[in-house]
Amino acid sequence: MNGISMDRIMKHSKHIARTILLGLTGLLVLSSPPDLNAQRYQEKDDNYGKTPSEMLPYGNYQDAYIYHFHEPQPFLGAGREKKEPTGLSEVRIGVLAPLSGDVLSPQGNQLLQGAMLAAEEASKRGGYKGLPFKVMPHNDVGLWGAAANEVVKMHDEGAWAVLGTIDDVNSHVAIRVALKLEIPVVNCGDPDPTFTETAIPWVIRVIGDDRQSSYALVDYIHRKMEHKRVAVLRANNRYGRVGIMEFRDAALRIGYPLVLEVRYDEGETTFDAQIERMKNSNPDAILLWGNANSMAMIVNQIREMGMEQPIYASDRSVNPDFLEIAGENAEGIITTCQYNPKADSPQLKAFQENYKKRFGMEPDVFAAHAYDGMNLIIKSIEKVGLNKALIRDKLTDLKTFQGYEGITGPIILDGSWNDIGSIFLAEIKEGDYHFSPASWEWK
């Protein structure tokens, strides 16, 4: 062979080796998991809302022809091309909450304070390109539809996203306006299961809903404690109606219809008539669904009227006012909570310490979830800049924040952007709450 032939052979050999190497690299890329967190959660998401198969609506009869809530609703509009504005002195984020004039105002102010703490900490770290984050608080209490006006005001004053609120009706109204204005919303306080079922592609929720709480209570009350006859006394509002709906339906599907469901109006202080009806229904357990103060007064009157049955309650009974008003009568009551405030987490303990130092009180469940929600908004802005459509994209991509480790635990979003993370049972012993993870069989 001459020198030219040898050179061609060497070049050909190098080409073959390079081709084989590229091919192997491609195979390795194709066989690698694209996102381990996202994949793990997708594998678990067999039923919408973590619904146990035996509690699945119509699950014993036939499969649905379409699983609407499994697939995120895309946003196909314009806006991603907008340039970041110049000349700003701060980055504004709206907070919507019941801040005054409502029974939920103490919780609304906790929500606001949790959001403020997250924004202040982010500003101390340097803010966004040197600009501080500024919380713009708005009170949603007022005539029906007040929340809509407040969201418009936030838009007009230049908020890049909205955090809140707690009340079910106000939450629903607010996100319809947010859809029209195309402004991202992170909800951190409304447990209404239908909230994210609106499939509005500008909305996520970072707190567990009443569906999760109901499954935990149904499993504990009927399966573990083997109660068969449960009577319910609930608030005559959307929180009471929608919350108990999930419990009632899930219990019915495993063979335990409610023996009685009675209501009270917010502001009532005597419940003799409702409790007398519960006595006559001869239940072996009682479930309360409402706000902390009302449920505590009901507990006292239940015991005064001689009923000794075990009492269970909705998540809003995790509140110091409930313990103070119910006193010794609260002993043994079991409820749910969307996180464990006594978890051995350095991140959570730092938040609790800083919150108490800043506001002179212990944070509640709304403050903790507001802190996580505000941090998601801030991190989205830091990643994509000041563009509402891109902030929305980041919040809803089910990858960037899937499994995000907040102070309330991992945030796990399903296809409707609803948080289906852990739920905890809380039992009252010796005047304090004792938390344990709630679990129920997946199938």
Side-chain angles (χ1 to χ4, degrees):
M1 248 179 240
N2 58 35
I4 295 175
S5 298
M6 281 299 293
D7 186 54
R8 285 180 176 172
I9 289 171
M10 289 298 291
K11 285 182 178 178
H12 186 62
S13 298
K14 287 179 181 177
H15 175 73
I16 292 173
R18 193 163 49 242
T19 303
I20 293 173
L21 182 61
L22 287 171
L24 289 172
T25 304
L27 285 172
L28 285 172
V29 169
L30 288 172
S31 62
S32 298
D35 187 315
L36 290 177
N37 277 339
Q39 188 180 47
R40 185 164 68 248
Y41 299 128
Q42 285 166 5
E43 286 171 356
K44 288 183 177 179
D45 190 18
D46 287 348
N47 291 331
Y48 166 66
K50 273 201 330 189
T51 305
S53 292
E54 59 190 335
M55 299 180 191
L56 196 66
Y58 308 104
N60 294 328
Y61 303 101
Q62 65 181 46
D63 290 336
Y65 73 93
I66 185 171
Y67 291 90
H68 180 67
F69 301 131
H70 284 242
E71 296 296 328
Q73 183 74 18
F75 169 62
L76 304 175
R80 297 178 177 90
E81 74 288 352
K82 289 183 180 177
K83 301 295 183 186
E84 191 166 288
T86 58
L88 297 179
S89 59
E90 59 194 13
V91 177
R92 296 180 173 181
I93 301 171
V95 170
L96 185 66
L99 300 177
S100 64
D102 189 84
V103 67
L104 287 173
S105 294
Q107 290 76 25
N109 282 284
Q110 286 260 6
L111 187 157
L112 173 62
Q113 290 170 178
M116 288 171 61
L117 184 61
E120 289 169 3
E121 290 178 352
S123 297
K124 286 179 183 175
R125 293 194 300 268
Y128 173 69
K129 296 183 178 179
L131 298 176
F133 290 99
K134 172 74 171 177
V135 166
M136 310 298 287
H138 286 258
N139 186 12
D140 64 16
V141 177
L143 294 175
W144 192 91
N149 295 332
E150 299 307 314
V151 174
V152 172
K153 290 177 186 173
M154 290 183 214
H155 174 267
D156 292 346
E157 65 193 15
W160 294 97
V162 175
L163 181 79
T165 180
I166 299 174
D167 178 78
D168 314 50
V169 173
N170 287 333
S171 297
H172 269 282
V173 170
I175 58 176
R176 266 66 174 191
V177 180
L179 172 64
K180 289 290 185 184
L181 296 173
E182 296 187 342
I183 181 169
V185 175
V186 175
N187 185 278
C188 58
D190 176 12
D192 181 345
T194 66
F195 175 75
T196 52
E197 290 174 355
T198 55
I200 291 175
W202 291 83
V203 177
I204 72 169
R205 173 163 52 194
V206 296
I207 186 170
D209 66 6
D210 283 338
R211 180 180 283 107
Q212 309 303 311
S213 297
S214 291
Y215 295 155
L217 285 173
V218 166
D219 184 74
Y220 188 85
I221 292 172
H222 290 298
R223 288 282 165 74
K224 291 187 173 60
M225 302 308 294
E226 299 183 345
H227 298 306
K228 294 180 173 55
R229 297 175 56 81
V230 174
V232 167
L233 177 52
R234 69 164 175 87
N236 188 22
N237 55 26
R238 187 177 175 86
Y239 171 66
R241 176 170 59 84
V242 177
I244 207 62
M245 176 181 69
E246 297 295 338
F247 179 92
R248 182 186 60 228
D249 292 352
L252 179 63
R253 289 179 193 123
I254 63 170
Y256 300 103
L258 298 180
V259 297
L260 182 72
E261 179 180 334
V262 285
R263 295 169 284 181
Y264 66 90
D265 288 327
E266 199 63 62
E268 279 190 63
T269 55
T270 58
F271 308 90
D272 299 14
Q274 295 96 326
I275 295 172
E276 194 62 38
R277 288 187 64 189
M278 287 202 294
K279 286 180 73 173
N280 293 335
S281 71
N282 192 30
D284 53 20
I286 296 167
L287 174 60
L288 308 177
W289 210 285
N291 290 318
N293 291 16
S294 297
M295 288 194 290
M297 289 189 285
I298 291 170
V299 167
N300 289 337
Q301 292 179 35
I302 284 174
R303 296 309 186 214
E304 287 169 8
M305 293 178 69
M307 295 189 75
E308 299 296 334
Q309 288 88 339
I311 298 176
Y312 302 89
S314 65
D315 58 284
R316 289 186 183 174
S317 56
V318 181
N319 185 303
D321 290 345
F322 183 85
L323 294 180
E324 183 179 344
I325 296 170
E328 293 182 354
N329 290 327
E331 286 295 303
I333 290 177
I334 292 177
T335 180
T336 58
C337 189
Q338 293 91 342
Y339 85 121
N340 178 3
K342 296 182 179 179
D344 186 20
S345 159
Q347 193 183 5
L348 173 61
K349 290 177 180 175
F351 161 74
Q352 291 168 332
E353 183 179 336
N354 294 334
Y355 187 95
K356 191 171 183 179
K357 192 182 300 180
R358 172 70 173 83
F359 302 109
M361 63 177 70
E362 301 288 345
D364 71 359
V365 65
F366 298 102
H369 285 85
Y371 183 83
D372 278 346
M374 180 58 77
N375 272 323
L376 288 191
I377 292 173
I378 289 170
K379 289 179 185 300
S380 297
I381 291 173
E382 290 172 344
K383 288 178 181 295
V384 301
L386 298 177
N387 178 299
K388 293 174 187 173
L390 295 179
I391 295 169
R392 183 223 79 91
D393 288 349
K394 193 54 66 178
L395 287 169
T396 60
D397 68 11
L398 297 181
K399 293 179 181 177
T400 307
F401 299 118
Q402 189 66 291
Y404 171 80
E405 287 287 345
I407 59 165
T408 59
I411 293 174
I412 302 171
L413 302 176
D414 67 11
S416 68
W417 300 298
N418 185 33
D419 185 356
I420 56 170
S422 299
I423 287 288
F424 293 82
L425 290 173
E427 182 175 6
I428 300 173
K429 296 179 186 174
E430 299 178 347
D432 200 4
Y433 298 96
H434 295 259
F435 298 88
S436 60
S439 63
W440 54 91
E441 290 187 3
W442 186 251
K443 288 185 177 178

